[in-house]
Amino acid sequence: MNTKIIVKVMNFHALIRVDNARKKAEKYLQLEKEASNIIDMIVNNRNFILDKKLWEVDPAKPVLNIYFGSDYGFCGGINFQVNQLLDKDKDSDKIIIGKKIHGTGDGIVLKLAREEFITRYEEIEAILENSIRKREHSEINLIYNHFNNTSSIEIKKKKIFPFPITSERKDKYKEDYYVEGNANTILINLVTSYLNYEIKIAEVNSYASENIMRQNATSESLKKIEEREEQLLTLQRKIKTQKEFDKVIDSYTKRKGLKGDRK
């Protein structure tokens, strides 16, 4: 099959997906900031901390890193950068999402294809809930390609748990909350829900980045194919012109030779 046709089809599919993925990612960017502010304001509240109702993590426990890649190639360095960070990660527990992320060996608690993210998400949710309730990890990080805008995509390692107290606006931690029921249970459920939300936002960001990079890669490939075709066409024209010129020269030489014979 013609390579140009294949690349055109891939570029067309990327163009279809990229606009929807971009709009979705942009919508979630603001929501992510609001959700982060809310959970920070609650879990770092001075009353919860003073009353020791907010648990502390065990620093001796391993880190949980969640890696996002793609199921398919042709999207620039998206998978390469994630794989580079994964190769350096020796001691943590790992959740790997995407067929192109090649992690193997110790520490992998779950590996699934990107296309299985929705259908098998309850497995990720169960790992998170178990991690929070039983304090199995000292921190939880997301490693993915973060979508800033259509011209800015960066590899990002984002810590989503525990929640550090920010130096700005420390007064926001002084709100008084009235809690009915077991505060620890409520906080655990709240934090688990928030972490699930952060993971889904990262997946949206990663998917937008993947499609934008694939669209850029296929557009660049089409450009190079067309340049090669133009070079080949120019070469063919030169060869054709040279042949026609040789014919003229040959015909002229023959005519001159005949005139010479007549003399």
Side-chain angles (χ1 to χ4, degrees), residues 140-192:
I140 301 173
N141 300 302
L142 301 176
I143 293 91
Y144 65 103
N145 286 277
H146 186 78
F147 169 85
N148 295 315
N149 53 57
T150 52
S151 59
S152 176
I153 293 167
E154 60 178 333
I155 188 72
K156 191 169 187 178
K157 183 176 182 178
K158 180 180 180 181
K159 184 167 76 171
I160 59 173
F161 182 83
F163 311 99
I165 296 177
T166 57
S167 57
E168 57 186 45
R169 277 198 59 216
K170 284 193 176 182
D171 59 308
K172 69 181 178 180
Y173 302 127
K174 298 178 182 179
E175 295 287 345
D176 289 326
Y177 296 108
Y178 177 75
V179 180
E180 292 185 354
N182 187 302
N184 277 336
T185 300
I186 294 171
L187 285 171
I188 287 171
N189 291 335
L190 184 63
V191 167
T192 303

Side-chain angles (χ1 to χ4, degrees), residues 56-67 89-95 106-109 127-128 130-132 134-141 143 157 159 161-162:
E56 293 182 357
V57 296
D58 182 353
K61 293 295 179 69
V63 171
L64 174 63
N65 287 333
I66 304 172
Y67 295 86
D89 183 3
K90 304 299 181 184
D91 302 319
S92 74
D93 288 342
K94 306 169 187 69
I95 295 176
D106 296 336
I108 297 177
V109 295
I127 293 170
L128 282 178
N130 205 46
S131 173
I132 300 301
K134 297 182 179 180
R135 304 182 188 183
E136 291 190 339
H137 299 102
S138 56
E139 67 180 61
I140 301 173
N141 300 302
I143 293 91
K157 183 176 182 178
K159 184 167 76 171
F161 182 83

Side-chain angles (χ1 to χ4, degrees), residues 13 32 38 55 81 131 146 164 166 169 203 230 241 259:
H13 283 289
E32 180 184 16
I38 291 170
W55 65 95
Q81 290 178 307
S131 173
H146 186 78
T166 57
R169 277 198 59 216
E203 191 273 336
E230 184 63 32
T241 301
K259 287 180 181 178

Side-chain angles (χ1 to χ4, degrees), residues 59-116:
K61 293 295 179 69
V63 171
L64 174 63
N65 287 333
I66 304 172
Y67 295 86
F68 285 90
S70 71
D71 285 347
Y72 308 102
F74 226 87
C75 48
I78 289 283
N79 296 304
F80 175 75
Q81 290 178 307
V82 176
N83 277 318
Q84 271 191 322
L85 292 178
L86 179 60
D87 289 340
K88 296 175 183 177
D89 183 3
K90 304 299 181 184
D91 302 319
S92 74
D93 288 342
K94 306 169 187 69
I95 295 176
I96 297 174
I97 302 163
K99 293 177 183 177
K100 289 293 182 177
I101 305 303
H102 56 53
T104 56
D106 296 336
I108 297 177
V109 295
L110 180 65
K111 186 173 183 180
L112 63 156
R114 169 63 72 79
E115 62 188 13
E116 298 174 313

